[in-house]
Amino acid sequence: MKKKYQNGFFIFGLVVLVIMLTQLDFAEVWNGVTRAGYWFLAVVALWFFLYFFNTAAWWVIIKANNPPSLGEGSGVGFLWLYKITISGFALNYATPGGLMGGEPYRIMALSPKIGTERATASVLLYVMTHIFSHFWFWLLACVLYVCTQHMNVFMSTLIACVAAFCLLAIWFFLKGYKKGIAASGIKLLRHIPFIKKWARRFFDEHAAQLAEIDHQIAALHNQNPRTFVTAVGLELACRIVSALEIFFILLVILPSANYLQCILILAFTSLFANMLFFIPLQLGGREGGFLMSVNGLGMTASAGIFVALLVRLRELIWTAIGLALIKFDKKK
């Protein structure tokens, strides 16, 4: 990646991170950290391992789309990709709309190694897999809630609606995997005001490249089903294991905390927060999700505030780490 682009991503993310830090009540943060003690260190360290799940999912996609016979992809080392993964998520956290920050960075970092079309296809495939695993996670959480929690009319209706939404989204993604999504996505943009002229021009100029990207997307699902299942499984496992973060925090104030409840809290909170994807760092959405989810499981509001505070602080720490890693990109 050119140095000017690297510096641009770094400076943009740093400015947003500083703005986010100014929104914190540092006295409240310090009280929360001292109260959590070593459990907060465990929460921060947990994500060192969780990012390996994300990296592994992206890595198997890259290897499947860049077989040795092509002579490409051999330069994509796992540890290098791990660094890019952390930086990509850091930019997503700090960017309104999420994908406007981290995904262009991933493509630009990967393009010199495997080419622009293959880098774009690999990143799109990973994003689709990442989002696809969320819908499976929310669907499994619906089943878990039905099996473990008391149901009333309101919750039965809500769970049914969420499950139906997840099933519809899973069907849509499976269709996108089979036929590709790049060209159809640009075609859809051609009908949206303000950007339709740009989309038409972009489609006309890059039709061949978009067709190649869609071919590679379809190939993963149609020709490499084992790779597809592995990537989705790794991402889904990451969602489930990441509930340990909430479990560790709740152990500070609720020694009888239940891990299954933590999975439900994470599922509802992530669903609510992703509905507000356009907010940088999902400020307010994540906190509101924690408050509603813990209340729905019979916990106190203070427990939700405590969890939300430490999770927010952990996100800021790893966002800072990811931004710092952007500057540690050795140039050959």
Side-chain angles (χ1 to χ4, degrees):
M1 183 188 300
K2 291 183 179 180
K3 201 71 175 177
K4 64 178 181 179
Y5 296 129
Q6 185 187 81
N7 290 334
F9 281 115
F10 175 75
I11 293 171
F12 171 78
L14 186 62
V15 170
V16 176
L17 179 63
V18 171
I19 294 173
M20 297 303 104
L21 287 172
T22 61
Q23 308 302 310
L24 292 177
D25 184 332
F26 289 98
E28 185 180 2
V29 168
W30 178 250
N31 289 335
V33 171
T34 53
R35 185 179 181 185
Y38 61 84
W39 281 116
F40 180 68
L41 296 178
V43 165
V44 176
L46 175 66
W47 280 86
F48 174 82
F49 300 99
L50 290 176
Y51 282 125
F52 277 98
F53 284 89
N54 302 128
T55 306
W58 190 18
W59 192 70
V60 298
I61 289 172
I62 292 173
K63 292 300 179 181
N65 275 2
N66 298 275
S69 59
L70 294 177
E72 297 179 320
S74 58
V76 182
F78 187 86
L79 292 180
W80 176 84
L81 200 67
Y82 178 76
K83 180 186 80 70
I84 298 299
T85 297
I86 296 175
S87 296
F89 277 115
L91 289 167
N92 281 346
Y93 284 137
T95 308
L99 302 182
M100 293 189 294
E103 279 26 83
Y105 171 77
R106 293 175 194 240
I107 293 172
M108 294 175 72
L110 193 58
S111 292
K113 296 181 177 292
I114 63 175
T116 302
E117 286 81 10
R118 292 187 178 279
T120 303
S122 296
V123 171
L124 283 176
L125 276 166
Y126 175 70
V127 172
M128 290 173 66
T129 302
H130 183 73
I131 299 174
F132 188 61
S133 69
H134 272 79
F135 290 112
W136 275 110
F137 179 59
W138 295 330
L139 183 62
L140 291 175
C142 290
V143 176
L144 180 61
Y145 190 94
V146 171
C147 295
T148 62
Q149 304 297 316
H150 174 71
M151 301 284 289
N152 53 36
V153 175
F154 173 76
M155 286 307 301
S156 298
T157 305
L158 180 61
I159 293 297
C161 290
V162 172
F165 170 71
C166 290
L167 288 171
L168 180 63
I170 289 171
W171 170 83
F172 174 80
F173 269 85
L174 287 175
K175 187 176 179 181
Y177 274 116
K178 290 181 179 179
K179 297 183 178 180
I181 200 170
S184 57
I186 296 297
K187 287 180 181 178
L188 180 63
L189 293 178
R190 293 189 302 178
H191 302 286
I192 299 179
F194 304 111
I195 62 171
K196 59 184 180 181
K197 290 184 178 180
W198 170 86
R200 288 170 184 168
R201 185 171 62 253
F202 184 88
F203 182 83
D204 292 338
E205 294 175 356
H206 300 88
Q209 292 93 329
L210 291 170
E212 173 62 21
I213 291 169
D214 278 340
H215 171 73
Q216 293 177 49
I217 290 174
L220 178 71
H221 182 272
N222 300 330
Q223 300 175 17
N224 300 284
R226 182 177 298 179
T227 299
F228 171 75
V229 172
T230 300
V232 174
L234 285 166
E235 283 292 316
L236 182 58
C238 185
R239 305 279 81 72
I240 295 172
V241 176
S242 65
L244 282 173
E245 176 178 48
I246 298 172
F247 184 62
F248 290 161
I249 298 172
L250 284 179
L251 284 177
V252 178
I253 54 178
L254 295 171
S256 60
N258 186 304
Y259 183 66
L260 293 181
Q261 287 185 322
C262 295
I263 294 176
L264 293 175
I265 292 172
L266 176 62
F268 181 84
T269 301
S270 61
L271 175 61
F272 185 78
N274 277 281
M275 292 170 62
L276 304 175
F277 65 93
F278 51 85
I279 301 176
L281 280 168
Q282 297 171 333
L283 287 176
R286 190 176 295 275
E287 285 76 5
F290 276 121
L291 286 173
M292 288 188 286
S293 58
V294 298
N295 182 66
L297 293 173
M299 300 180 188
T300 63
S302 61
I305 294 172
F306 185 65
V307 172
L309 174 66
L310 294 187
V311 169
R312 177 63 63 198
L313 184 58
R314 184 271 304 163
E315 286 180 339
L316 289 171
I317 290 172
W318 274 103
T319 298
I321 293 172
L323 294 176
L325 288 174
I326 292 177
K327 299 297 292 180
F328 291 95
D329 191 11
K330 293 182 179 180
K331 231 182 161 186
K332 291 185 180 180

